[in-house]
Amino acid sequence: IIALSKQKDLEKYGYNVLIANTGEKAVVLSKNNNKIDLILMDIDLGKGIDGTEAAELILKDREIPIVFMSSHTESEVVEKTEKITSYGYVVKSSSITVIDASIKMAFRLFDATNIIEKHRQHLNITLNSIGDAVIVTDIWGDVLSLNPVAEALTGWKSELVLGKPLPEVFNIINAGNRKLVDNPVNKVLETGQIIGLSNHTVLIAKDGNEYKIADSAAPIKDFHGLITGVVLVFRDVTEEYRNKESLLRTENQYRMLFESMIDGICLHEIVYDTGKAINYRILDANPKYEQILQFKKEDIVGKLATEVYKTDDAPYLDVYAKVAETG
């Protein structure tokens, strides 16, 4: 009788209303009719499942705003419904204007929730598409999420570290002295500035693997400029370090060979003008070259050949010209 009365009142306000007098029927009706936009759910539904159980079953199949309407005002009953959905709770004795206002508020809240969820999904897609590792923390420095690259480097799954302090997930040390590196997120929260890690920082993953990394941490701010969290972006530079170390070793070997050769050697680069070699700039000279020509390297490096060699040395320039022309 109450349902029929409310139905007539709501239809006067322009709503199309369907009635289900048991929880089971409500679940079936919701499942089979995708035109239903909102449910006013009573709690006491006689025999069978009650309104809270019916609501939980309905929400497993679809996202829809559910407003509970009941004569119960006990705190434990209201709290139980809030754990299921939070689109409103109306006492049965409320006037039609209050019910109408509650329905409209539920629709607005539902639309806002959908917009937030779409933004969240878009953000997750963006984070997961970034080639660098990304960790997001809250204002206390506890982990909120990791993108797949961060999961791979740290060895942690995002769902397992939610709420953990960052150092438990992002364990970093100095490669030289093996001492712990200060938490960059703490520095960001203290200063409000973007912070970069120093060189030679090593990340120790959950499985014990070590990666040399380069990173930066930046504050996340709301519309009022208040810090609400920190985003940490880092990448594996282990291979880069290996290449640099290899290049340095090669350079050192070359330098030792260059310096110890018994022949005088001087390196030049060609100076061109309109495609023609017109001169030669000195780049380097070994000690034997200095000894033979009585030059000091620091006096000639960077100078043009014509500024260094005397006119009697013209044959040298002719040789350089032939080399430049023929390759």
Side-chain angles (χ1 to χ4, degrees), residues 130-148:
I130 294 175
D132 289 340
V134 180
I135 299 178
V136 179
T137 76
D138 59 22
I139 197 172
W140 295 281
D142 295 331
V143 176
L144 293 179
S145 67
L146 285 75
N147 74 343

Side-chain angles (χ1 to χ4, degrees), residues 70-281:
S70 175
S71 58
H72 290 283
T73 57
E74 304 93 308
S75 60
E76 60 270 17
V77 176
V78 178
E79 289 174 3
K80 184 179 180 181
T81 62
E82 288 178 346
K83 293 177 181 178
I84 301 170
T85 182
S86 299
Y87 288 105
Y89 191 99
V90 185
V91 178
K92 279 184 182 179
S93 58
S94 300
S95 66
I96 185 60
T97 55
V98 171
I99 297 174
D100 178 52
S102 297
I103 292 172
K104 290 176 179 176
M105 288 175 63
F107 277 130
R108 286 195 292 269
L109 180 58
F110 183 71
D111 291 340
T113 301
N114 281 338
I115 291 173
I116 292 173
E117 177 60 21
K118 287 179 181 178
H119 286 170
R120 188 189 67 80
Q121 291 178 4
H122 179 71
L123 177 61
N124 284 339
I125 292 172
T126 302
L127 288 176
N128 291 343
S129 301
I130 294 175
D132 289 340
V134 180
I135 299 178
V136 179
T137 76
D138 59 22
I139 197 172
W140 295 281
D142 295 331
V143 176
L144 293 179
S145 67
L146 285 75
N147 74 343
V149 181
E151 289 182 334
L153 288 179
T154 64
W156 289 94
K157 289 295 183 182
S158 186
E159 60 269 19
L160 298 179
V161 298
L162 183 63
K164 284 183 176 291
L166 179 67
E168 293 187 21
V169 179
F170 190 65
N171 181 19
I172 51 177
I173 62 171
N174 181 282
N177 56 30
R178 306 293 292 181
K179 291 183 178 180
L180 289 175
V181 175
D182 291 338
N183 186 342
V185 169
N186 288 343
K187 292 183 180 180
V188 172
L189 295 174
E190 290 171 4
T191 65
Q193 303 296 318
I194 297 174
I195 300 295
L197 278 181
S198 60
N199 292 330
H200 310 297
T201 298
V202 172
L203 168 68
I204 301 178
K206 181 183 178 183
D207 58 7
N209 285 333
E210 297 187 2
Y211 304 94
K212 289 185 177 179
I213 61 170
D215 92 330
S216 64
I220 302 171
K221 297 182 179 181
D222 62 16
F223 293 112
H224 304 290
L226 298 176
I227 297 177
T228 60
V230 176
V231 58
L232 182 68
V233 181
F234 58 99
R235 60 191 178 90
D236 179 12
V237 293
T238 305
E239 192 61 31
E240 292 179 27
Y241 268 89
R242 286 179 184 150
N243 292 338
K244 287 181 181 178
E245 289 171 357
S246 176
L247 184 62
L248 182 60
R249 285 194 299 270
T250 302
E251 170 65 22
N252 289 337
Q253 291 169 354
Y254 156 77
R255 179 55 54 185
M256 290 175 61
L257 179 64
F258 183 74
E259 298 286 344
S260 62
M261 291 188 73
I262 60 173
D263 294 324
I265 300 176
C266 185
L267 302 181
H268 301 72
E269 68 175 353
I270 303 172
V271 179
Y272 289 96
D273 183 22
T274 62
K276 183 178 180 181
I278 62 170
N279 217 319
Y280 310 89
R281 182 174 288 106

Side-chain angles (χ1 to χ4, degrees), residues 53-82:
E53 294 172 302
E56 288 176 330
L57 290 172
I58 290 171
L59 292 174
K60 284 182 179 179
D61 289 330
R62 61 183 297 189
E63 288 292 328
I64 186 171
I66 297 178
V67 177
F68 285 97
M69 187 169 68
S70 175
S71 58
H72 290 283
T73 57
E74 304 93 308
S75 60
E76 60 270 17
V77 176
V78 178
E79 289 174 3
K80 184 179 180 181
T81 62
E82 288 178 346

Side-chain angles (χ1 to χ4, degrees), residues 2-8 17-22 25-26 29:
I2 295 174
L4 290 171
S5 174
K6 298 298 181 186
Q7 179 184 23
K8 290 182 179 180
V17 183
L18 301 173
I19 294 178
N21 55 12
T22 67
K25 289 181 180 179
L29 184 60

